């Protein structure tokens, strides 16, 4: 057993931890599980058929995952900041690195706000908003302080808990399921479906670009794609399954909830056979959300460290934590309708940074590889 653990995590000569490609796949799984159930609003007109939007977004998400893994393969062993400077040159690469740092910090702070919204939506604890933010950001900062290796191991726990709770409460709600709720489609609003799908892609799958940072610390870059894609596919199917299950149990009553996570909790609440599962489910969802924020915090920290060649990155933890809280409060005014800033964000931030630039990186990467091979053939 000890030998197996030693194979999982090793250390580079420069002291940086290395994780296996399987652990990176689990990080991706925990990242997705910790996000879609909490951080995504449900567009009115789609809730009882949310699974249909989840399915459409998963297809796009799988394509994005393939795109980001291709970048990791074309630039093996390079942090995302180094990928940008290698692909676009030192000056342009540094500028883009700075933009991505701002974007990752923004995404983390925005996720912090959505985590608070979800906690408030539970309507079970009357905790002041500031206290919730403080508790979550302290937990996330501590996770980032512990580093990549610890988060990789924590991903196993997060994924295991979320899968276990989903299995248990699904077993107990089998008598509550009605297949008439699922088919035929219950007047799906096309515009609402597209909008809901856009939010899922924006807040969930686009941020998989962050996987490029820990992928620089994997042991075998050439073996990166398979385990991450396998775990990604299983999680896509799992998230679709959760939405289908919730539809079978709640049907039109899903209209009463604003977040998929509250639908999940309503389903858990119906499992009166084992009341403790409800509390376990709540804590598991919260743990998944905190893991996601901790992972995003770590990525922001690593990007800042590499871009500005910081010798001691841990001194940035407190300033970054305060900055993320500030970002969260910047959007508190949108707490009632967070979809207002999302449309602008999707068009002017998501498409360029998560779509256009990664596609250009792939094109540049293939060109540079072709050039190297041609030069090697001449020599």
């Amino acid at each position: 057993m000890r030998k197996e653990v030693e194979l999982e995590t090793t250390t580079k000569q420069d002291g940086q931890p290395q994780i296996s490609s399987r652990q990176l796949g689990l990080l991706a799984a925990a990242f997705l599980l910790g996000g879609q159930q909490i951080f995504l609003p449900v567009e009115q007109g789609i809730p009882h058929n949310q699974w249909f939007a989840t399915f459409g977004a998963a297809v796009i998400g799988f394509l994005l995952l393939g795109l980001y893994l291709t970048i990791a393969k074309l630039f093996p062993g390079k942090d995302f900041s180094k990928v940008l400077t290698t692909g676009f040159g030192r000056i342009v690469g540094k500028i883009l690195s700075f933009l991505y740092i701002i974007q990752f910090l923004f995404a983390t702070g925005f996720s912090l706000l959505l985590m608070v919204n979800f906690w408030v939506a539970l309507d079970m604890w009357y905790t002041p908003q500031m206290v919730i933010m403080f508790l979550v950001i302290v937990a996330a900062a501590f996770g980032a302080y512990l580093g990549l290796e610890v988060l990789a191991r924590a991903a196993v726990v997060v994924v295991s808990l979320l899968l276990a709770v989903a299995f248990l409460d699904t077993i107990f709600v089998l008598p509550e399921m009605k297949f008439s709720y699922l088919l035929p489609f219950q007047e799906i609003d096309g515009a609402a479906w597209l909008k809901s799908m856009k939010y899922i892609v924006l807040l969930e799958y686009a941020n998989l670009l962050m996987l490029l940072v820990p992928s620089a610390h994997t042991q075998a870059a050439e073996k990166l794609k398979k385990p991450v894609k396998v775990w990604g596919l299983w999680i896509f199917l799992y998230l679709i399954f959760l939405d289908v299950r919730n539809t079978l149990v709640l049907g039109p009553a899903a209209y009463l909830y604003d977040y998929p996570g509250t639908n999940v909790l309503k389903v858990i609440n119906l499992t009166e056979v084992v009341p403790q599962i409800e509390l376990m489910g709540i804590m598991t969802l919260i743990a998944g959300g905190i893991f996601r924020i901790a992972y995003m915090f770590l990525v922001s920290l690593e990007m800042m460290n590499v871009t500005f060649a910081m010798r001691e990155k841990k001194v940035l933890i407190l300033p970054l934590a305060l900055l993320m809280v500030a970002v969260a409060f910047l959007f508190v005014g949108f707490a009632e309708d967070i979809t207002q800033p999302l449309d602008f964000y999707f068009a002017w931030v998501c498409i360029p940074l998560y779509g256009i630039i990664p596609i250009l990186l792939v094109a540049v990467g293939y060109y540079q590889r072709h050039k190297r091979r041609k030069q090697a053939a001449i020599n």
Side-chain angles (χ1 to χ4, degrees):
M1 182 71 178
R2 181 175 293 178
K3 181 181 279 187
E4 183 179 334
V5 171
E6 288 174 354
L7 289 173
E8 280 292 307
T9 305
T10 60
T11 304
K12 290 182 179 180
Q13 291 181 351
D14 62 1
Q16 284 286 348
Q18 277 191 310
I19 60 174
S20 68
S21 52
R22 186 171 72 92
Q23 285 178 308
L24 183 65
L26 280 165
L27 277 172
F31 182 83
L32 290 170
L33 288 175
Q36 188 153 333
Q37 295 182 55
I38 292 181
F39 298 129
L40 296 175
V42 176
E43 182 67 17
Q44 290 299 316
I46 197 71
H48 53 300
N49 285 308
Q50 179 67 20
W51 68 271
F52 195 53
T54 302
F55 174 78
V59 173
I60 299 174
F62 202 71
L63 294 174
L64 286 175
L65 180 60
L67 177 68
Y68 301 151
L69 290 175
T70 300
I71 295 173
K73 187 176 181 180
L74 290 170
F75 302 92
K78 286 184 170 62
D79 186 276
F80 190 37
S81 294
K82 293 179 181 177
V83 169
L84 291 168
T85 54
T86 302
F88 299 119
R90 182 174 178 80
I91 296 177
V92 175
K94 286 288 185 181
I95 293 172
L96 289 176
S97 293
F98 185 67
L99 290 177
Y100 276 106
I101 290 171
I102 294 174
Q103 164 54 22
F104 290 164
L105 289 172
F106 168 83
T108 309
F110 197 63
S111 295
L112 177 61
L113 171 63
L114 299 183
M115 181 73 177
V116 173
N117 286 354
F118 172 75
W119 197 314
V120 171
L122 293 177
D123 199 28
M124 296 183 66
W125 299 295
Y126 300 99
T127 311
Q129 196 175 54
M130 188 63 187
V131 173
I132 298 172
M133 283 191 181
F134 175 78
L135 293 174
V136 173
I137 201 65
V138 165
F142 185 64
Y145 174 82
L146 294 176
L148 181 62
E149 178 187 347
V150 174
L151 281 184
R153 296 180 186 278
V156 180
V157 178
V158 170
V159 171
S160 301
L161 282 174
L162 287 166
L163 292 177
V165 170
F167 174 77
L168 285 174
D169 60 51
T170 299
I171 293 296
F172 291 127
V173 297
L174 283 175
E176 307 286 341
M177 292 184 179
K178 295 181 182 179
F179 284 91
S180 60
Y181 286 155
L182 188 63
L183 295 173
F185 296 142
Q186 300 174 7
E187 299 180 0
I188 294 179
D189 184 329
W193 172 67
L194 288 173
K195 205 168 187 180
S196 186
M197 190 171 68
K198 180 176 73 174
Y199 295 152
I200 297 174
V201 171
L202 168 63
L203 295 174
E204 183 73 338
Y205 299 119
N207 283 313
L208 286 174
L209 182 67
M210 293 183 178
L211 284 173
L212 291 183
V213 174
S215 69
H217 304 301
T218 52
Q219 295 164 10
E222 68 277 2
K223 298 180 180 178
L224 196 64
K225 270 194 173 185
K226 186 176 179 180
V228 178
K229 276 196 169 183
V230 168
W231 273 105
L233 180 60
W234 275 109
I235 296 307
F236 295 156
L237 294 174
Y238 169 79
L239 293 172
I240 294 168
F241 159 76
L242 278 185
D243 284 336
V244 170
R245 182 202 67 181
N246 296 343
T247 298
L248 292 175
V249 174
L250 298 174
Y255 270 116
L256 301 176
Y257 304 97
D258 296 325
Y259 289 85
T262 49
N263 288 342
V264 172
L265 293 174
K266 178 59 177 177
V267 170
I268 293 173
N269 192 40
L270 293 173
T271 62
E272 296 178 359
V273 179
V274 185
Q276 291 85 352
I277 290 181
E278 182 181 6
L279 179 60
M280 187 190 302
I282 292 171
M283 299 311 296
T284 303
L285 287 175
I286 291 174
I290 291 175
F291 173 89
R292 179 186 174 97
I293 294 172
Y295 176 88
M296 297 169 80
F297 196 126
L298 176 68
V299 168
S300 303
L301 197 62
E302 289 288 340
M303 281 282 288
M304 186 83 76
N305 177 48
V306 174
T307 302
F308 298 104
M310 301 287 293
R311 290 187 177 182
E312 181 52 65
K313 65 182 180 183
K314 291 179 180 179
V315 300
L316 294 172
I317 289 180
L318 180 58
L320 288 184
L322 294 174
L323 184 58
M324 289 169 186
V325 171
V327 170
F329 270 100
L330 179 66
F331 287 95
V332 163
F334 295 104
E336 292 297 322
D337 184 13
I338 63 170
T339 62
Q340 289 181 10
L342 288 183
D343 293 329
F344 173 87
Y345 181 63
F346 182 83
W348 296 99
V349 178
C350 181
I351 292 177
L353 293 184
Y354 290 137
I356 296 174
I357 291 177
I359 290 173
L360 289 175
L361 272 175
V362 169
V364 170
Y366 275 117
Y367 172 75
Q368 291 179 348
R369 189 169 74 172
H370 172 73
K371 196 174 178 181
R372 287 194 300 269
R373 288 178 176 176
K374 188 176 179 180
Q375 188 67 36
I378 293 174
N379 295 335

